[in-house]
Amino acid sequence: MKQTKQALLVIDMEQGFLHPNSPLYIAQAKDTVPMCGGVIAKARERGIPVFFVNRIYRKNGSDVEACRYEQWLQGGRCLAPNSTGDCSIEVPAAFAPQAGDYTIIKPRFSAFFQTELDLILRRLQVDTILLTGTTTPNCIRATCYDGLSLDYNVVVIADCCSSRTEAVQRANLEDMAYIGADVVSAEQFLKETWTTKNIVKDVQQKVELDTTAPE
């Protein structure tokens, strides 16, 4: 099996999504914090680059999604620069960047949309992204599909992701697995023997050897 070069993405694990008092609160997210923390620590131990991909909204709402604007406005203008408290950009201790980690601010759901993520991953020769964070149907899924579209191998660590309900979580994980993502548990990832297929490399080699005219 061809080796992969991996990067761990930790998406939107901020107080604005984790705290019950926040209007952007995701019910399952807080419970994933310990498991995510373990995965982050193991990634660093393995030399896998860690990317914290977060939201920060300007106080005047000029960069808030139109579909979220009213909720954001009525909820107290969450995720403002330098904000603290229940509705803020603060993160749990396990999610504080360390030397060697990357921090990326994304303006929309996908970690790739109008960010430098793809540029940095390619400079690091990463071919496989490991997705964790919240929410599964929005930011995780959007990043998953963009990653597949950009020819990355995509791994979703299921119990390090979260949704509003278990039904939403299950349906979205099934969809991502069906389209081509490798959906695994944190327990699987944490095993020293864990590997994932390098589908992208396999396809590249097959295309190079294919003598069919492209037309």
Side-chain angles (χ1 to χ4, degrees):
M1 182 179 296
K2 301 171 185 62
Q3 283 191 322
T4 59
K5 178 67 182 297
Q6 302 163 8
L8 176 66
L9 275 57
V10 185
I11 300 177
D12 284 348
M13 294 297 281
E14 303 161 279
Q15 283 296 95
F17 298 105
L18 296 172
H19 201 286
N21 292 340
S22 171
L24 303 180
Y25 172 63
I26 304 302
Q28 294 183 342
K30 188 175 181 179
D31 291 340
T32 68
V33 168
M35 193 71 75
C36 284
V39 166
I40 292 167
K42 180 59 69 174
R44 290 177 178 140
E45 180 184 314
R46 291 176 178 167
I48 296 172
V50 177
F51 288 74
F52 293 100
V53 187
N54 294 326
R55 289 289 182 87
I56 298 178
Y57 288 136
R58 295 180 185 276
K59 292 182 179 180
N60 68 353
S62 56
D63 57 355
V64 178
E65 301 94 328
C67 60
R68 178 175 275 170
Y69 180 81
E70 289 301 325
Q71 180 188 19
W72 170 84
L73 187 65
Q74 295 171 13
R77 302 175 186 257
C78 288
L79 304 174
N82 303 311
S83 55
T84 59
D86 300 347
C87 195
S88 74
I89 63 172
E90 289 184 313
V91 298
F95 298 82
Q98 296 183 8
D101 295 341
Y102 293 82
T103 299
I104 288 179
I105 305 303
K106 62 183 176 68
R108 291 292 183 265
F109 299 107
S110 171
F112 288 102
F113 183 78
Q114 295 189 8
T115 73
E116 68 270 48
L117 178 62
D118 183 52
L119 183 153
I120 297 173
L121 292 178
R122 295 191 189 281
R123 177 62 58 83
L124 298 176
Q125 299 184 348
V126 167
D127 54 33
T128 302
I129 55 173
L130 315 174
L131 301 185
T132 66
T134 197
T135 65
T136 305
N138 297 332
C139 301
I140 300 299
R141 183 167 176 153
T143 302
C144 169
Y145 278 67
D146 278 356
L148 292 171
S149 297
L150 290 165
D151 265 356
Y152 289 96
N153 303 299
V154 177
V155 178
V156 181
I157 304 180
D159 45 352
C160 288
C161 300
S162 53
S163 302
R164 293 181 297 106
T165 68
E166 185 54 40
V168 170
Q169 177 80 350
R170 184 171 57 252
N172 279 276
L173 290 173
E174 288 177 359
D175 272 353
M176 287 187 285
Y178 181 78
I179 201 64
D182 187 10
V183 178
V184 304
S185 68
E187 182 181 10
Q188 288 174 281
F189 171 77
L190 293 170
K191 289 181 179 178
E192 295 304 326
T193 56
W194 181 78
T195 59
T196 187
K197 295 178 181 178
N198 196 336
I199 297 172
V200 169
K201 188 65 175 179
D202 288 341
V203 171
Q204 287 174 344
Q205 293 183 345
K206 288 178 181 178
V207 171
E208 287 174 1
L209 294 172
D210 195 327
T211 58
T212 307
E215 299 184 10

